[in-house]
Amino acid sequence: MNNFDFVRLMAALMVLSGHQYALMFLLEPRPFGLVTMGTLGVLVFFVLSGYLVAQSWRRDPHPWRFAVRRFLRIWPGLGVVVVLTTFVVGPVFTEESLGAYFQDAQTWKYLEQLGLIQQPDLPGVFHGNVWSVVNGSLWTIPLEVRWYAILMVAGACGLLSARLRVPLLTVVVAYAFYMFVVFDVQRNPAAAYPKPGFGCEYGCFFCYGVVLFHWQSAWARRPLLLAACLGAMASVAAVLNYSYLALYLVLPFVVIWFGNRSTPWLSRAGRYGDLSYGIYIYAYLVQQSIIAVIGFRHGYALTLLISLLATLACAYASWHLVEKPALGLKHHLTAAGSADVTEGTSVSSATP
């Protein structure tokens, strides 16, 4: 047993807690004075995803089976939440008449999210809230799936073999240097929310997770030495005013190192199921619904508690009724491809 279930759960709860501030028009905390709490949770998800999906590819490097596993991990849960949102939540909370709601083309366009096309709004839904976005957590799922595809293509081309791990490291380092130093994602207006380039650096964290998996035999022998080296480089980056680069250098290693450990109690975080994905895809929708009903008069803490309990119920149902049964189908792929049902996604992903 390891701590990965706990890390995923904490990342999902960070996103939920961070969104609660934004949805109540409160200033969201910024850990390290840099990224918001929700964004930090998403970054953790992308690191985990890169590491665990690379592990899945190594276990069975077959493109078709790999793609099917990713589909079974992402789409069943996503499909249910999108359909429920369109045909249950939308009609309940819309300011339009039911006839007008279902005649509006925007209602049916929302279903395009099943094809990973972002559609944030439904007609008349949550228009009395601070933000009218129905489920702001779903936009990172297409981004994560894109990196699944990149990893699959790289693996199919033989670029993830053990003998090429030095070139892999070189490419990932060069990509990160471009993103954090040349493009300067920390200060570049093109990467600011809600610009199209927002979140473009998330792929760096995914790739870092991939590299940590492929180099694990090396760093696992002397993790403290690598931690010291990364800490020193991060300190230099921070002094040079590249704080985001400093976070990038340290965060993924800490996440994967801690995830691989087996800590009493924490390693049993998944005993009721892997609720992290369900929390991620339902939390924003639940929070918007609760705010639409009770407003802001109860304050952050109580509204967060109500949202958390409702989201946990949805996540529990999603895991046991949708996600786990879907993942069970992986065992029909072949013996070589039957992996642990908790492997795979971080999120979707993950949204800040």
Side-chain angles (χ1 to χ4, degrees):
M1 296 179 69
N2 54 47
N3 295 337
F4 281 118
D5 283 332
F6 174 78
V7 177
R8 280 195 292 256
L9 187 60
M10 290 300 101
L13 294 178
M14 287 172 64
V15 175
L16 184 154
S17 301
H19 279 158
Q20 193 70 49
Y21 283 97
L23 293 175
M24 297 184 70
F25 209 58
L26 300 172
L27 187 63
E28 186 176 353
R30 290 181 175 268
F32 314 109
L34 182 62
V35 297
T36 64
M37 182 163 57
T39 297
L40 186 63
V42 173
L43 296 179
V44 171
F45 270 133
F46 271 80
V47 173
L48 289 171
S49 186
Y51 179 86
L52 296 174
V53 173
Q55 184 181 70
S56 177
W57 176 265
R58 173 67 63 84
R59 184 181 292 118
D60 183 21
H62 188 281
W64 168 247
R65 290 192 293 266
F66 177 86
V68 171
R69 289 192 199 98
R70 303 287 72 75
F71 178 89
L72 292 174
R73 188 63 186 99
I74 293 291
W75 267 273
L78 176 65
V80 170
V81 73
V82 169
V83 170
L84 285 176
T85 301
T86 305
F87 296 107
V88 178
V89 177
V92 168
F93 288 97
T94 184
E95 297 175 354
E96 308 283 343
S97 67
L98 287 183
Y101 174 83
F102 283 111
Q103 290 173 11
D104 196 311
Q106 189 177 13
T107 299
W108 304 102
K109 285 181 69 68
Y110 191 82
L111 294 173
E112 292 180 357
Q113 292 200 106
L114 296 174
L116 302 181
I117 300 173
Q118 186 181 3
Q119 297 291 344
D121 299 314
L122 280 169
V125 177
F126 301 142
H127 283 190
N129 291 7
V130 173
W131 307 106
S132 63
V133 174
V134 176
N135 194 337
S137 294
L138 302 186
W139 75 269
T140 61
I141 293 179
L143 181 59
E144 187 167 357
V145 170
R146 188 183 311 156
W147 281 101
Y148 292 167
I150 291 172
L151 184 142
M152 183 181 70
V153 172
C157 293
L159 302 178
L160 298 180
S161 63
R163 61 186 177 83
L164 292 180
R165 65 177 187 169
V166 172
L168 173 66
L169 175 62
T170 303
V171 170
V172 171
V173 169
Y175 174 47
F177 181 82
Y178 168 79
M179 191 61 66
F180 289 99
V181 179
V182 179
F183 180 74
D184 195 4
V185 67
Q186 180 177 335
R187 286 170 285 266
N188 195 323
Y193 180 82
K195 300 293 181 61
F198 181 70
C200 60
E201 75 277 15
Y202 292 1
C204 291
F205 288 84
F206 180 92
C207 292
Y208 199 149
V210 174
V211 166
L212 285 172
F213 171 75
H214 283 276
W215 282 85
Q216 184 162 342
S217 59
W219 64 259
R221 292 194 296 267
R222 295 182 178 178
L224 294 181
L225 177 60
L226 179 57
C229 292
L230 292 172
M233 290 188 290
S235 299
V236 173
V239 168
L240 296 176
N241 200 24
Y242 287 98
S243 301
Y244 206 173
L245 174 60
L247 178 66
Y248 169 78
L249 289 168
V250 175
L251 178 67
F253 176 74
V254 172
V255 168
I256 298 305
W257 171 80
F258 180 74
N260 273 296
R261 296 180 66 83
S262 182
T263 306
W265 297 103
L266 300 186
S267 60
R268 300 179 64 238
R271 61 187 179 276
Y272 300 115
D274 181 5
L275 306 186
S276 58
Y277 185 54
I279 292 173
Y280 188 82
I281 61 177
Y282 278 95
Y284 197 104
L285 176 67
V286 168
Q287 290 168 294
Q288 284 282 62
S289 301
I290 289 172
I291 290 172
V293 173
I294 69 174
F296 307 107
R297 63 185 181 275
H298 298 291
Y300 175 85
L302 182 58
T303 307
L304 175 64
L305 178 60
I306 297 171
S307 298
L308 175 61
L309 294 176
T311 299
L312 287 174
C314 292
Y316 186 86
S318 178
W319 171 254
H320 287 283
L321 300 179
V322 181
E323 299 167 50
K324 187 177 179 180
L327 289 170
L329 298 175
K330 292 193 301 183
H331 297 293
H332 296 289
L333 293 176
T334 61
S338 60
D340 183 353
V341 297
T342 62
E343 73 162 34
T345 189
S346 66
V347 256
S348 222
S349 250
T351 184

